[in-house]
Amino acid sequence: MQRLSFHIIAVIISYFLNGCVVVHSQTVCNRPANLEWHLQPQTAQVKWTLMENICNSMVHCWGDQNRTETQKSDVPPTWNLPQICPLEVQFGVKLFVSIDATLDVYGIRILNVSKEDFESCSTAPQSQDQFLCSDDVMNATKQVEPKWLLPGLHYFIASHEGNSQLCKLGLRLNVSVKEQQCQSSPLVRLCSGNGVCRTSFWEDGAYRCQCRQHYSGKFCEKFDACLENPCENEGVCVSNGTTDHIYATYKCLCPPHFTDRSQLVMFLTSQVI
């Protein structure tokens, strides 16, 4: 017990003497506004350290203050602070974790825990099947076992000999793993080639299609030239369903005294040809 107390005290002293910048500099978690799905396998790496990448407020951890205040109930982040900047990865990613030299001296374990244990920093009981990597004690860069990276939210915390102090200082990580729902089958292109398979940090569950102009549907498989109603002067747009832009893809049913410009252009073009 005395050895444990010495180790924890040493880490705390190191944290407040050398890591005060982390506490007072307001670490902001930088992340792209949107993430696109990659067909090729991706890798990600997280360094467990008290000296950097620890966020201390909801805005700094999660971004836009307006979003944090109006957070949807179906995208439940965990607000307990401090913590390592939350991570979002696509399903199939290879995630590697490492620890800094200070923590390496003490020897820490990284555990998979429930959301409740993440928030309370509970480390008991520690069973073998909770360890994030095949080796229980971290002493080098390790790959996280795939079973901890299935689609969904995952919570990891660090402990030293069962003590929760490291977690309370910020050594806990929230990981969101998302799969893509951008293909009707593996044989077709993402979003039918008419959009981008993308997610945002605040979107729950999966990568989804964001369709290009005039395309709609779950996989951007529908084309509708009237989607944004190009007709002026209260004209009614009628799409003919074609995607061949050599021909008129829609026509306007115009009110009295107005003419469908697209039809007139097509008529004049045919006369020139």
Side-chain angles (χ1 to χ4, degrees):
M1 185 66 182
Q2 182 177 3
R3 175 171 169 267
L4 171 61
S5 300
F6 171 80
H7 285 170
I8 296 300
I9 292 172
V11 171
I12 294 173
I13 291 174
S14 175
Y15 177 70
F16 284 106
L17 291 182
N18 301 319
C20 57
V21 175
V22 175
V23 176
H24 300 294
S25 69
Q26 301 298 320
T27 295
V28 177
C29 301
N30 296 318
R31 59 176 61 90
N34 293 290
L35 298 173
E36 292 187 18
W37 182 266
H38 295 277
L39 292 175
Q40 299 300 320
Q42 300 292 298
T43 60
Q45 185 162 345
V46 176
K47 185 176 182 180
W48 289 66
T49 174
L50 293 170
M51 305 305 169
E52 59 186 79
N53 207 34
I54 301 289
C55 55
N56 294 276
S57 76
M58 291 185 290
V59 173
H60 296 141
C61 286
W62 300 98
D64 188 346
Q65 184 172 10
N66 294 328
R67 298 302 299 269
T68 61
E69 292 174 351
T70 59
Q71 179 63 29
K72 296 180 180 179
S73 59
D74 59 346
V75 190
T78 159
W79 299 125
N80 289 58
L81 302 165
Q83 60 179 276
I84 297 173
C85 287
L87 181 65
E88 182 175 72
V89 297
Q90 70 179 50
F91 179 52
V93 73
K94 293 181 179 180
L95 177 61
F96 295 88
V97 293
S98 60
I99 60 176
D100 66 18
T102 302
L103 295 174
D104 190 20
V105 171
Y106 301 109
I108 67 170
R109 292 175 169 85
I110 302 178
L111 311 171
N112 174 77
V113 297
S114 66
K115 180 180 179 181
E116 292 72 22
D117 287 345
F118 178 93
E119 293 176 340
S120 64
C121 282
S122 174
T123 60
Q126 293 186 21
S127 60
Q128 184 71 34
D129 59 2
Q130 286 180 270
F131 297 141
L132 203 60
C133 305
S134 55
D135 297 332
D136 58 347
V137 178
M138 287 290 300
N139 55 14
T141 299
K142 304 285 187 180
Q143 181 177 348
V144 176
E145 294 187 28
K147 66 179 181 179
W148 301 128
L149 296 174
L150 298 176
L153 293 172
H154 303 275
Y155 305 97
F156 308 133
I157 64 176
S159 74
H160 171 76
E161 296 184 358
N163 192 286
S164 63
Q165 189 63 48
L166 291 176
C167 172
K168 293 176 180 178
L169 289 173
L171 288 189
R172 48 183 160 179
L173 175 65
N174 182 351
V175 179
S176 174
V177 181
K178 297 182 178 181
E179 57 187 345
Q180 61 95 349
Q181 297 178 0
C182 299
Q183 293 172 288
S184 56
S185 84
L187 301 179
V188 300
R189 298 172 64 187
L190 292 175
C191 304
S192 306
N194 303 317
V196 180
C197 186
R198 181 177 287 171
T199 191
S200 68
F201 193 78
W202 290 95
E203 185 176 357
D204 185 30
Y207 288 71
R208 295 182 175 88
C209 289
Q210 295 183 12
C211 302
R212 297 192 179 96
Q213 188 178 21
H214 303 311
Y215 289 92
S216 63
K218 181 177 180 180
F219 308 112
C220 304
E221 73 280 9
K222 300 176 182 178
F223 177 83
D224 185 358
C226 294
L227 199 60
E228 298 176 359
N229 192 16
C231 300
E232 300 176 354
N233 302 308
E234 299 183 356
V236 178
C237 181
V238 179
S239 174
N240 61 17
T242 182
T243 59
D244 191 343
H245 300 287
I246 297 177
Y247 305 98
T249 57
Y250 67 93
K251 65 179 180 179
C252 294
L253 302 180
C254 301
H257 310 299
F258 289 94
T259 303
D260 182 358
R261 183 182 304 172
S262 66
Q263 296 297 313
L264 179 60
V265 170
M266 290 301 297
F267 173 76
L268 294 176
T269 302
S270 63
Q271 296 301 308
V272 172
I273 296 175

